[in-house]
Amino acid sequence: MRRASTLAASTALSRVLLASSEQQRYTRLFQVTSFYGGINAGSPRRSFSTSMRSISRGVYSDTAKFFLSLGGLAAASVAAGASSLLVEEEAYAKELLKPDLVPKDVVLYQFEACPFCNKVKAFLDYYDVPYKVVEVNPFSKKEIKWSEYKKVPILMVDGEPLVDSSAIIDQMGNKIIRAKSSSVDDEEKKWRRWVDDHLVHMLSPNIYRNTSEALESFDYIASNGNFSFSEKYTVKYAGAAAMYFVSKKLKKKYNITDERAALYESAETWVNALNGRDFLGGLKPNLADLAVFGVLRPIRYLKSGKDMVENTRIGDWYSRMEIAVGESSRIKA
């Protein structure tokens, strides 16, 4: 079985030949080589966007042209098998729904950094369900005063409120996903429960394990949440201090002695569950894959998430999931 990154890279290279101009060919080749070739591997998106600014202005060094030309040769060698590659790539693409299955109006009430909210977003993004987001202020919660349920996520689907992340995914899944075999369902359900009962409890002790990581986490929360200027300051510093001490209590509650070791062990447990498959669902992610990915997505580029990827085998699976889930289907306000 080919790895998703190789498959997607090969297919992307084949598409370079379809570019109508030299400018487009250079641009597409650079997109492929910078993302899959590992330019500035620690932060590929940052490197890509910086380099693309030069390309968009038509600025190419002779060295760049030389290597991009080599990329063109690679594209040519791939083109002959492009048809079969495009068929294979479907295993890693978004699951596109029939138009009649897509809800007409979907609104997610959320906290941006909430792992449970990110579970729901991973599901919506993968199935390409367009949705609007209402960021809830965690102090006043005025955005959800209309609801008896005072937690997030709340997903409003064509006027019907759905609550609790796992229940939301179950109900949405029943509406838009075909039934699977019972054997697959049993494995999927087992690991979805593991996400809710175990994996999610590894996050707080890690992202708040010391003052610097607590500040890093609350800087992200304050920057992406629905806060006034004064609230942002309070959230970042008072919140970081409070959660640093709360995380110590959580370690005792969940019998965690070394939070990083526990996070690494959880990551390895998940990789072992894959048992050599690209996804728990086989060639395509299933609901358990989406749950793990969603829960880990808020921490992936924090120090704890970077450490997890560097010190466990989960990185390859996570990269495949990023490719499969693709761009967000969120409707920008």
Side-chain angles (χ1 to χ4, degrees):
M1 183 182 298
R2 298 185 182 186
R3 304 195 74 78
S5 56
T6 303
L7 184 59
S10 300
T11 306
L13 280 170
S14 70
R15 289 174 177 162
V16 173
L17 295 184
L18 301 178
S20 59
S21 68
E22 181 184 32
Q23 172 79 12
Q24 288 176 326
R25 284 194 292 273
Y26 280 138
T27 300
R28 291 186 183 179
L29 278 166
F30 194 88
Q31 288 175 331
V32 175
T33 55
S34 64
F35 187 82
Y36 295 103
I39 295 178
N40 193 8
S43 54
R45 292 181 180 175
R46 190 181 309 152
S47 169
F48 169 77
S49 60
T50 302
S51 303
M52 282 302 297
R53 283 197 291 271
S54 297
I55 283 184
S56 65
R57 296 194 298 267
V59 179
Y60 302 97
S61 68
D62 290 339
T63 302
K65 286 186 177 182
F66 171 74
F67 282 108
L68 292 174
S69 297
L70 291 181
L73 293 175
S77 67
V78 169
S83 297
S84 62
L85 282 172
L86 287 171
V87 172
E88 288 181 276
E89 187 191 30
E90 291 178 2
Y92 303 97
K94 283 177 179 281
E95 280 286 314
L96 299 180
L97 303 172
K98 293 181 180 179
D100 61 321
L101 294 177
V102 180
K104 293 180 175 61
D105 185 38
V106 179
V107 182
L108 176 65
Y109 294 83
Q110 66 151 25
F111 300 148
E112 178 64 29
C114 165
F116 299 106
C117 299
N118 276 277
K119 277 173 56 182
V120 175
K121 286 192 288 187
F123 176 92
L124 296 174
D125 291 340
Y126 180 63
Y127 287 100
D128 209 24
V129 176
Y131 61 97
K132 301 170 188 174
V133 166
V134 174
E135 190 69 22
V136 176
N137 183 300
F139 296 124
S140 67
K141 295 188 178 180
K142 61 183 180 180
E143 294 79 8
I144 55 172
K145 280 188 175 178
W146 53 268
S147 173
E148 294 182 1
Y149 187 79
K150 298 303 180 183
K151 300 178 182 180
V152 293
I154 300 174
L155 191 70
M156 187 71 74
V157 182
D158 292 336
E160 177 187 0
L162 308 179
V163 300
D164 183 273
S165 62
S166 292
I168 289 170
I169 292 169
D170 284 338
Q171 292 173 76
M172 289 294 290
N174 289 337
K175 292 180 179 180
I176 65 178
I177 305 175
R178 293 179 180 178
K180 300 185 180 76
S181 67
S182 58
S183 60
V184 174
D185 276 346
D186 288 342
E187 183 182 39
E188 184 179 78
K189 289 176 181 177
K190 169 189 173 182
W191 289 102
R192 287 181 66 195
R193 285 195 300 269
W194 175 80
V195 171
D196 291 341
D197 296 341
H198 177 79
L199 180 61
V200 72
H201 300 306
M202 299 298 107
L203 304 188
S204 291
N206 274 278
I207 64 177
Y208 308 126
R209 72 169 183 155
N210 54 44
T211 53
S212 64
E213 289 189 55
L215 281 171
E216 177 194 39
S217 300
F218 269 91
D219 183 56
Y220 171 76
I221 292 169
S223 299
N224 291 279
N226 180 10
F227 302 105
S228 66
F229 178 81
S230 59
E231 286 174 340
K232 284 184 178 181
Y233 185 88
T234 302
V235 164
K236 180 175 179 179
Y237 294 99
M243 287 307 299
Y244 169 75
F245 291 104
V246 169
S247 70
K248 305 307 175 187
K249 294 182 178 179
L250 291 174
K251 284 178 64 175
K252 291 182 179 179
K253 180 178 180 179
Y254 296 109
N255 197 29
I256 300 171
T257 54
D258 183 329
E259 58 276 351
R260 271 301 194 269
L263 179 63
Y264 297 164
E265 182 180 358
S266 295
E268 290 293 342
T269 296
W270 174 247
V271 174
N272 289 337
L274 298 177
N275 195 27
R277 295 169 289 182
D278 278 2
F279 306 104
L280 193 76
L283 289 175
K284 296 183 179 183
N286 64 14
L287 296 183
D289 287 290
L290 293 171
V292 176
F293 177 72
V295 163
L296 293 180
R297 189 151 59 168
I299 76 163
R300 169 61 184 92
Y301 295 101
L302 298 177
K303 188 177 188 317
S304 54
K306 292 176 182 177
D307 287 352
M308 175 187 67
V309 169
E310 290 174 3
N311 292 281
T312 73
R313 297 171 294 154
I314 203 170
D316 287 346
W317 169 84
Y318 192 93
S319 295
R320 290 192 292 272
M321 286 298 300
E322 285 187 313
I323 294 168
V325 172
E327 294 295 323
S328 174
S329 55
R330 173 177 176 173
I331 300 171
K332 301 296 183 182

